Amino acid sequence: MSHPNSSSRSSTIKAVIFDLDGVLVDTARYHDQAWEELATGFGYALTEADRHALKGRSRADSLEYILEQAGWEDADPAQKSRWLQAKNARYLELVEGLTPHDAAEGAQDLLVQLREAGIKLALGSASQNATKVLSKIGMEGAFDSVVDGTRTTRSKPDPQVFEMAASDLGLDPKDCLVIEDAPAGIQAALAGGFRTIGLGDPVVLAQAHRVVASLKELSLDQGHVLFEI
Ligand code: B16
Ligand code: MG
């Protein structure tokens, strides 16, 4: 049975748009840790559901979400700004030691295979630290388009980040595949008319056209059919 979001005629994709944190590199855990330390300061313990909800959201939206959960939504804007700076400073400390060895398993091979197959590559990340992280893992210059939190004005689950990437590439969303680890990212891609692969838990990412546990499962050696969703 086809996915409810599948078009009746599937065609081979022309571009893959990669999320960064949690897809190309396991920095999602560093975002989690930095938010957890901050929230502990309010006396709020992040839950597993909070972690999933925070993934893929912008820094400012993430803080609003946590403050709402903690009952602190009326916090002073100047204090919010200090918290955002503190969270980012902690995140930057945590990613400081990243090297190309920290790239997700199978990521580098997949980028090379896609490039050799003539498929365009883009990054679609909410992070304002994306170029720094890309450079640390040796992926600067690997993409035809980089859309990150320094370019977007709307946070996932809004499709803006992926729409900008498709526009940069001159492609229609239906010809692009988005690979995401966050429910908000899958929702964003579906809202924009993209095809989707979720990376992670099939229950959490049930809305995706397909879910894999590792990028290694997406080798083109297994045939282009993998991308004909
Ligand atoms: P920053 P992605 C997202 O990156 C993260 O998933 C999310 O947890 C984070 O809050 C957001 O970037 C903003 O990151 O604070 O570095 O600007 O998954 O969209 O690549
Ligand atoms: Mg992510």
Side-chain angles (χ1 to χ4, degrees), residues 18-25 27-32 35 51 53-63 84 87-88 91-92 123-130 133 147-150 155-156 161-162 180-182 185:
F18 289 85
D19 174 53
L20 176 64
D21 297 308
V23 169
L24 293 175
V25 57
T27 38
R29 68 196 161 111
Y30 295 137
H31 282 294
D32 275 359
W35 284 126
R51 288 178 211 286
L54 288 174
K55 274 188 191 172
R57 290 187 191 269
S58 72
R59 199 181 309 164
D61 282 1
S62 299
L63 179 65
L84 288 173
K87 185 271 172 178
N88 196 48
Y91 175 72
L92 290 175
L123 187 90
S125 168
S127 178
Q128 297 180 56
N129 297 301
V133 171
V147 183
D148 62 19
T150 65
S155 190
K156 299 170 188 176
V161 61
F162 301 128
E180 258 289 351
D181 69 314

Side-chain angles (χ1 to χ4, degrees), residues 95-136:
V95 299
E96 186 53 38
L98 285 179
T99 73
H101 293 295
D102 294 301
E105 230 187 338
Q108 194 60 259
D109 284 353
L110 182 60
L111 291 175
V112 169
Q113 284 187 6
L114 290 168
R115 171 79 61 207
E116 284 173 354
I119 292 171
K120 297 269 188 212
L121 303 174
L123 187 90
S125 168
S127 178
Q128 297 180 56
N129 297 301
T131 51
K132 178 185 270 276
V133 171
L134 279 181
S135 142
K136 284 193 171 290

Side-chain angles (χ1 to χ4, degrees), residues 134-185:
L134 279 181
S135 142
K136 284 193 171 290
I137 60 172
M139 289 185 187
E140 72 274 54
F143 299 93
D144 302 293
S145 158
V146 172
V147 183
D148 62 19
T150 65
R151 292 182 62 189
T152 54
T153 53
R154 297 191 297 277
S155 190
K156 299 170 188 176
D158 188 285
Q160 184 192 39
V161 61
F162 301 128
E163 287 171 346
M164 287 174 87
S167 165
D168 281 356
L169 300 174
L171 293 174
D172 193 292
K174 72 174 171 28
D175 295 321
C176 304
L177 169 70
V178 170
I179 305 182
E180 258 289 351
D181 69 314

